[in-house]
Amino acid sequence: MPSTEASAGTTPRPIPADAWKAPDENTIPTGKDGEMIKYGRELVAHTAKYFGPQGSIAKITNGMNCQNCHLDAGSRLFGNNYASFIASYPKLSNRSGRVEQPEERIAECFERSLAGKVPNPSSKEIQAMLAYMKWVGKDVKKGQKLFGNATEKLAFMDQAADPAKGKEVFMMKCQSCHGANGEGLLNADKKTYANPPLWGKHSYNDGAGMYRLTNFAGFVKNNMPYGASYHSPQLTDEEAWNVGAFVNSQPRPHKDQHNDWKDLKKKPIDFPFGPYADRFSEKQHKYGPFKPIKDAQKELTSKKS
């Protein structure tokens, strides 16, 4: 059963006074710096307009927008926001095994969440996105602990997430916006999505962060269905886990990831492709239960090399 913590239900939850808040758009500076920040925000909010299948700059992505996964252009509490993004770089990436710059992380999103190709990191567009993300997190210091940063990590369930139960949640709560077949809803221009596809060739591939269940569950708990928030969730934790399991059980583009996570002990507990340093199956790594995997990972990493 889900945790008995307050987050396990749908009752309103108080937001701490010191919770992270994105800066007001009215504080964007004037001049060239401000224009770059505004252009970066535009690119995050309407990525497909510029880089989608009918993009005006390049036709290199699946048609989703960055803000489909980073809500309100990365400014929403627990909406996979950019609060500490810039402050955390440069940093060692356990996935690649090397120190990365923030533009490399953006490139990974183009390859994974947007299932596409990487724009030139030195291009005006990538630099504008970086300028915007820097502005969003301008008051955040490296290593600072923030309430509301990125996505909430839900308490683990004692059992595996259930795609069949998740399908029921999807039909009741999600298909009206995302389509009965997860195909999403196109805008009138037929070029961009009003509501993104959740599976299929125009959705994120299996190398994206949303394909990891602990990320997906925390994201939907605080933001879905439409109108939900951290303060007023509409799904229980169990429903969030299960609907995430259902969505990620559906077909989507595949990305070759055999070069990722060279140090198996640092592989995320919900990364659904082996090999692993532990004894658990790919299925358990995908759907849980996750606590035994987490405990085993702690034991492995505590051992001296």
Side-chain angles (χ1 to χ4, degrees):
M1 296 299 292
S3 164
T4 56
E5 296 176 5
S7 62
T10 58
T11 54
R13 298 183 288 176
I15 298 176
D18 62 349
W20 177 77
K21 292 181 181 178
D24 192 309
E25 283 187 55
N26 292 326
T27 66
I28 293 177
T30 57
K32 291 183 178 180
D33 289 346
E35 290 305 312
M36 282 290 279
I37 292 168
K38 290 176 182 177
Y39 185 39
R41 189 187 191 286
E42 168 68 9
L43 290 162
V44 168
H46 304 108
T47 320
K49 178 180 176 181
Y50 303 93
F51 293 110
Q54 300 182 63
S56 62
I57 295 175
K59 300 172 176 59
I60 57 174
T61 72
N62 57 8
M64 292 178 69
N65 301 314
C66 294
Q67 79 166 0
N68 291 143
C69 297
H70 302 277
L71 300 181
D72 298 341
S75 66
R76 186 185 296 186
L77 191 79
F78 284 130
N80 206 13
N81 57 57
Y82 299 132
S84 63
F85 176 72
I86 293 295
S88 66
Y89 282 87
K91 71 176 180 181
L92 176 65
S93 167
N94 288 329
R95 180 160 63 191
S96 68
R98 57 186 176 78
V99 175
E100 291 186 351
Q101 301 297 325
E103 55 266 33
E104 294 180 89
R105 184 66 185 89
I106 294 176
E108 290 177 351
C109 283
F110 270 83
E111 289 184 323
R112 296 165 185 267
S113 297
L114 299 180
K117 298 178 181 178
V118 180
N120 185 335
S122 63
S123 67
K124 177 183 177 182
E125 283 67 38
I126 298 301
Q127 294 306 306
M129 294 171 80
L130 287 169
Y132 170 68
M133 293 171 186
K134 183 176 182 180
W135 174 80
V136 168
K138 64 186 179 66
D139 298 319
V140 179
K141 297 179 175 61
K142 191 175 184 68
Q144 183 178 348
K145 300 297 183 182
L146 300 173
F147 181 89
N149 183 43
T151 55
E152 183 184 16
K153 296 301 183 184
L154 302 184
F156 296 141
M157 296 197 298
D158 292 335
Q159 74 275 8
D162 187 333
K165 290 181 179 179
K167 182 177 182 179
E168 296 176 3
V169 178
F170 180 85
M171 292 173 66
M172 289 188 298
K173 305 276 191 177
C174 312
Q175 70 172 0
S176 61
C177 290
H178 294 284
N181 297 307
E183 71 275 19
L185 176 66
L186 284 166
N187 284 308
D189 62 8
K190 302 300 181 183
K191 297 180 180 180
T192 58
Y193 284 98
N195 300 315
L198 297 183
W199 61 86
K201 66 178 182 179
H202 293 292
S203 189
Y204 56 88
N205 65 34
D206 59 16
M210 283 297 180
Y211 196 65
R212 288 174 46 201
L213 193 52
T214 62
N215 291 334
F216 196 110
F219 180 82
V220 298
K221 169 73 179 186
N222 290 286
N223 301 288
M224 300 293 154
Y226 183 78
S229 66
Y230 173 83
H231 175 65
S232 301
Q234 296 184 33
L235 300 179
T236 65
D237 282 20
E238 185 171 8
E239 288 173 327
W241 285 111
N242 289 340
V243 77
F246 169 69
V247 169
N248 281 342
S249 72
Q250 301 304 301
R252 64 187 63 256
H254 174 65
K255 178 174 174 55
D256 182 1
Q257 301 170 68
H258 76 275
N259 285 324
D260 291 352
W261 313 106
K262 292 295 188 181
D263 185 345
L264 297 183
K265 290 185 291 186
K266 294 181 179 179
K267 211 169 195 178
I269 59 172
D270 55 348
F271 189 79
F273 302 111
Y276 302 110
D278 56 52
R279 58 182 174 80
F280 301 98
S281 67
E282 284 190 345
K283 183 176 181 180
Q284 185 163 348
H285 277 277
K286 184 171 183 176
Y287 298 123
F290 293 114
K291 187 177 184 302
I293 305 176
K294 187 72 173 179
D295 291 343
Q297 186 183 65
K298 288 181 179 178
E299 184 175 348
L300 284 168
T301 54
S302 67
K303 292 179 180 178
K304 294 183 178 179
S305 303

